[in-house]
Amino acid sequence: MPAPSRAVYPGSFDPVTNGHLDVMARAQRIFGHLIVAVLRNPAKTPMFPVEERVALLRDSVSGMANVEVEPFDGGLLVDFVRQRHATVVVRGLRGVADFEYEYQMALMNRHLAPSVDTVCLMPSAAYAFTSSRLVREVGMLGGDLHALVPPAVVRALDRRRAARAQESRA
Ligand code: PNS
């Protein structure tokens, strides 16, 4: 039997959703160790700074064995994967709309590091329509997200919405 693999699940996680957690739970059952790598990405302006995204994730995965969360400060993903002695990149695939982007990234990463493989996992159909982008939008408009994101994310979005309302009154 082969040794258990170490896998990296990279992403922006701005913010983490139940769809991401569903993928992590599946990956954790397959791989011996899962590192969730949270991209700092100075090119994009995230809603939540990387430290807060990491904290929200750590809060959400505290019950999952063999899962650790780390900031990923940029550079090539495959370099991060190799530095962590991992051999697998995990990505979630909600539907065909995700496929083209994931396929290109997987092949580019394979071009750069032939020994690193990408494994795409399908989250539950209950989360097929859940994305961080829509969660941010709905959260800022006060929509109910309890079924789609962890409680800490609901609270973080509520705080953001309250802060924005206060800014617009000032
Ligand atoms: O959640 P996201 O924003 O879809 O995640 C994108 C991510 C972090 C996986 C991707 O941007 C990435 O791997 N960035 C690292 C830079 C890199 O290695 N690029 C070349 C390989 S495609």
Side-chain angles (χ1 to χ4, degrees):
M1 186 149 159
S5 315
R6 288 167 63 82
V8 172
Y9 180 23
S12 302
F13 303 105
D14 184 35
V16 60
T17 69
N18 287 351
H20 294 129
L21 295 177
D22 182 288
V23 168
M24 285 173 214
R26 291 171 202 283
Q28 173 218 30
R29 289 202 292 268
I30 300 171
F31 304 107
H33 192 84
L34 184 69
I35 300 164
V36 181
V38 186
L39 185 70
R40 189 178 289 276
N41 201 353
K44 282 195 206 168
T45 310
M47 172 176 276
F48 296 100
V50 71
E51 293 76 15
E52 193 170 0
R53 283 179 277 143
V54 167
L56 290 170
L57 267 154
R58 285 191 177 140
D59 184 90
S60 309
V61 304
S62 59
M64 286 190 205
N66 304 332
V67 178
E68 63 178 308
V69 182
E70 276 192 52
F72 164 38
D73 280 328
L76 285 174
L77 174 64
V78 290
D79 289 341
F80 180 92
V81 170
R82 287 187 290 210
Q83 279 157 15
R84 298 300 181 281
H85 306 288
T87 52
V88 175
V89 172
V90 170
R91 293 285 290 173
L93 203 57
R94 284 164 300 193
V96 284
D98 288 339
F99 178 76
E100 195 64 36
Y101 174 57
E102 297 303 331
Y103 185 62
Q104 280 189 1
M105 280 205 299
L107 291 188
M108 177 57 83
N109 285 328
R110 179 180 288 165
H111 170 78
L112 296 168
S115 61
V116 173
D117 268 305
T118 299
V119 171
C120 288
L121 295 172
M122 278 68 74
S124 161
Y127 305 122
F129 60 94
T130 304
S131 68
S132 295
R133 184 179 66 78
L134 286 181
V135 159
R136 292 194 299 272
E137 184 174 322
V138 172
M140 284 306 97
L141 296 170
D144 182 2
L145 290 167
H146 281 88
L148 304 179
V149 298
V153 171
V154 173
R155 292 193 294 273
L157 286 163
D158 285 346
R159 284 195 298 273
R160 276 289 183 294
R161 193 173 64 257
R164 286 220 179 142
Q166 199 154 32
E167 277 162 29
S168 64
R169 279 197 298 272

